[in-house]
Amino acid sequence: MWYLCVFYHRLLDYRRPEFESLADLFGAFGDKRSFDFNTQDKVLQWRLPKHHHPDSPFHFVHLPSEDVARNIANRSILVKGIYELWGEGNDFEELEEAVKSYPDERKLPYLESESTFKITVDSFGKVLSLQEQNERIQGLSYIPFKGRVNLKNPDHNFWLMETDENETNNGLPPVVKRRIFFGREIGGADRKLIPMYQLKTRNYLGPTAMDAEMAFLMANQAQAAPGKLVYDPFVGTGSILVSAAHFGAMTMGADIDIRVVRDGRGPDCNVWSNFKQYGLPMPIGLLRADNNLPPWRPGLKEVFDGIICDPPYGVRAGGRKSGGRKLLKGIVGPYTVPDDKRADHIPSTAAYTLVECVHDLLDLAARMLVMGGRLVFFYPVLREDGSVETHFPEHPCFKLVATSEQMLSSRYSRVLLTMVKTSLYTEVLALAARIKHLEFRENHLKWLENGNLHSSVFSPADAESGDSKVSKESKPKYRGKYV
């Protein structure tokens, strides 16, 4: 059945990937146990209302059942609501005709005298006064509501939504003609999570802590759920694992900085206290581990259902791996720490480049994720001459199912990559992955020509002259934040 999905006008590239990940989680594509990841594609059917731009918050989506639609809407961060559409039109006369022609067997169960209802008027692109809202509600008198009005806790919520005609650049996606929708609400996002988990109220916070809204989006795309084990190899202060734990997943993390995972800022200000603050289950373990020298024993079977992380690719924080001065001076193997130094010893580290970090992350995920498990991580993108770098890391064990870009400046953005494990890890695939890694490394040597990624991102923009002018408007900018 087709449903009307209305998104919040935020993070436009993230809307469909999050929705489709949740649709897969809640069974929109059938039984996962019988799914062949190599031969079948999971694609939802989408279509736009008449005269609407692809960036419009209004979309039609085909879903197998109302239960699936409700589960997606109630779990999503960016879905404002999903509705059973009773009618639409360019004006109220056309809307009335459409609602009257909607099948009675679909309408009458929600109009009975024993039920309570509420009608909400909403608009996109303009503001309606209270008087205008009341006039629109009174104009729906042709719908035979028999129940009582209950504004606080109704049995059924109905929405009248309309868009404004905005062909001109008013900071919103263009709409050629006004469109009016009326429908029954199936479910909607719980945006109370965002202020509840906002970083400014967090007990233990670091300079690279993931924003709460983005952390929940990452957890949704990794399909965190009860009974699943989620791992973050660059755990830091645990922001991503907090969101996964909120959705019921078991969590586990690692970081190369032992001071972060063991000490924090005291007994009541550390990673553990963040979980205690929200009453969430504690991680099953926090390891001091180097992703370049993973601690897993050989032959260990796949254990993780999801790996979610924000790798230290060198913009806000540089990556580190085991090494340091002593190894660089000629010591081949790891040196032995004296027994009297073990309690407060901090191992030496060396710089960890982007290409190494990405290769190790993909190798870890290929070895440790279960079949159908998801790897969700951020990847940096540099813009040169107005173009976007689209050479994303690849691995023969994975299928890239979603890319969501977030622009951070005219020259730099980051892309959230979502990969699904489709093949078992073998030595043959490990060799093929090594070849892919060499191609990836060759493609990114230009990032190191004038220094590291940090200097490339924050260096002054090239002077605009002639044909070498750099485009700063490669994507449309709309009113609001983080679109």
Side-chain angles (χ1 to χ4, degrees), residues 337-357:
V337 180
D339 291 339
D340 61 332
K341 302 291 185 182
R342 287 183 178 272
D344 56 357
H345 176 71
I346 300 176
S348 300
T349 60
Y352 195 24
T353 64
L354 170 69
V355 289
E356 287 182 291
C357 180

Side-chain angles (χ1 to χ4, degrees), residues 96-167:
E96 179 178 350
E97 182 179 348
V99 173
K100 287 181 177 179
S101 63
Y102 193 69
D104 287 340
E105 62 269 19
R106 299 288 305 173
K107 293 187 295 187
L108 294 181
Y110 307 101
L111 304 176
E112 296 177 347
S113 57
E114 295 82 9
S115 63
T116 59
F117 70 94
K118 173 186 176 182
I119 299 177
T120 303
V121 178
D122 195 14
S123 61
F124 180 74
K126 63 179 179 180
V127 177
L128 298 176
S129 67
L130 184 60
Q131 179 181 350
E132 290 175 317
Q133 295 180 39
N134 289 332
E135 290 174 354
R136 282 160 172 72
I137 292 176
Q138 293 170 7
L140 298 174
S141 58
Y142 54 85
I143 303 177
F145 289 105
K146 298 179 181 179
R148 295 179 296 104
V149 174
N150 186 333
L151 299 181
K152 291 186 177 181
N153 189 28
D155 296 326
H156 310 298
N157 281 298
F158 296 90
W159 286 71
L160 178 67
M161 297 165 284
E162 61 180 278
T163 62
D164 192 19
E165 297 180 9
N166 54 329
E167 294 182 76

Side-chain angles (χ1 to χ4, degrees), residues 264-279:
R265 295 192 178 93
D268 297 321
C269 188
N270 50 42
V271 179
W272 306 98
S273 64
N274 283 343
F275 289 81
K276 184 179 179 181
Q277 177 182 356
Y278 302 113

Side-chain angles (χ1 to χ4, degrees), residues 7 15 23 59 81-82 131-132 140 170 192 212 223 244 267 269 276 295 331 346 361 375 384 406 452 454 475 479:
F7 291 103
R15 300 186 302 190
H59 289 68
I82 296 181
Q131 179 181 350
E132 290 175 317
L140 298 174
N170 67 345
K192 295 179 182 178
Q223 300 179 341
C269 188
K276 184 179 179 181
I331 299 179
I346 300 176
L361 177 61
L375 169 63
E384 297 186 2
Q406 180 182 15
N452 56 25
H454 183 278
K475 292 190 67 176
R479 241 169 28 207

Side-chain angles (χ1 to χ4, degrees), residues 191-461:
R191 293 290 292 185
K192 295 179 182 178
L193 291 179
I194 308 305
M196 181 189 306
Y197 285 91
Q198 60 185 337
L199 293 183
K200 65 181 182 181
T201 63
R202 194 74 54 87
N203 284 342
Y204 182 42
L205 199 61
T208 59
M210 181 61 64
D211 171 73
E213 182 180 35
M214 192 62 69
F216 280 115
L217 285 174
M218 297 174 76
N220 277 341
Q221 292 194 196
Q223 300 179 341
K228 292 190 174 185
L229 177 58
V230 172
Y231 178 65
D232 183 354
F234 310 101
V235 66
T237 57
S239 296
I240 293 175
L241 292 189
V242 164
S243 63
H246 172 84
F247 291 130
M250 298 178 289
T251 58
M252 182 176 177
D255 202 283
I256 196 172
D257 191 344
I258 192 172
R259 295 167 295 185
V260 173
V261 296
R262 183 188 65 183
D263 304 326
R265 295 192 178 93
D268 297 321
C269 188
N270 50 42
V271 179
W272 306 98
S273 64
N274 283 343
F275 289 81
K276 184 179 179 181
Q277 177 182 356
Y278 302 113
L280 299 174
M282 296 293 178
I284 63 174
L286 293 177
L287 310 176
R288 189 277 172 189
D290 179 6
N291 205 44
N292 188 246
L293 295 172
W296 319 110
R297 61 177 173 81
L300 182 65
K301 293 183 178 180
E302 298 91 343
V303 294
F304 300 126
D305 297 281
I307 295 178
I308 319 174
C309 60
D310 182 20
Y313 39 77
V315 178
R316 288 194 297 174
R320 308 296 295 179
K321 64 178 180 179
S322 297
R325 295 185 301 274
K326 293 188 177 182
L327 290 180
L328 294 177
K329 288 180 179 179
I331 299 179
V332 178
Y335 54 89
T336 301
V337 180
D339 291 339
D340 61 332
K341 302 291 185 182
R342 287 183 178 272
D344 56 357
H345 176 71
I346 300 176
S348 300
T349 60
Y352 195 24
T353 64
L354 170 69
V355 289
E356 287 182 291
C357 180
V358 171
H359 171 72
D360 292 340
L361 177 61
L362 290 174
D363 188 69
L364 165 72
R367 290 178 182 272
M368 303 300 292
L369 277 178
V370 300
M371 280 291 293
R374 292 193 162 212
L375 169 63
V376 180
F377 67 102
F378 271 110
Y379 172 76
V381 171
L382 282 178
R383 299 168 174 272
E384 297 186 2
D385 301 327
S387 63
V388 179
E389 175 61 67
T390 57
H391 184 84
F392 298 131
E394 300 178 58
H395 195 285
C397 286
F398 289 93
K399 178 181 179 181
L400 181 64
V401 296
T403 59
S404 309
E405 183 182 3
Q406 180 182 15
M407 292 180 58
L408 300 177
S409 72
S410 60
R411 305 188 61 194
Y412 165 65
S413 63
R414 61 179 184 174
V415 178
L416 185 64
L417 302 182
T418 302
M419 296 181 171
V420 176
K421 185 175 179 180
T422 58
S423 302
L424 293 175
Y425 188 80
T426 64
E427 292 301 324
V428 174
L429 292 183
L431 178 60
R434 185 65 185 173
I435 295 173
K436 290 284 187 183
H437 167 64
L438 294 176
E439 295 174 356
F440 174 75
R441 181 179 180 181
E442 179 68 23
N443 184 266
H444 290 78
L445 284 178
K446 61 184 180 181
W447 284 12
L448 306 178
E449 289 177 358
N450 298 317
N452 56 25
L453 181 60
H454 183 278
S455 63
S456 299
V457 170
F458 292 102
S459 60

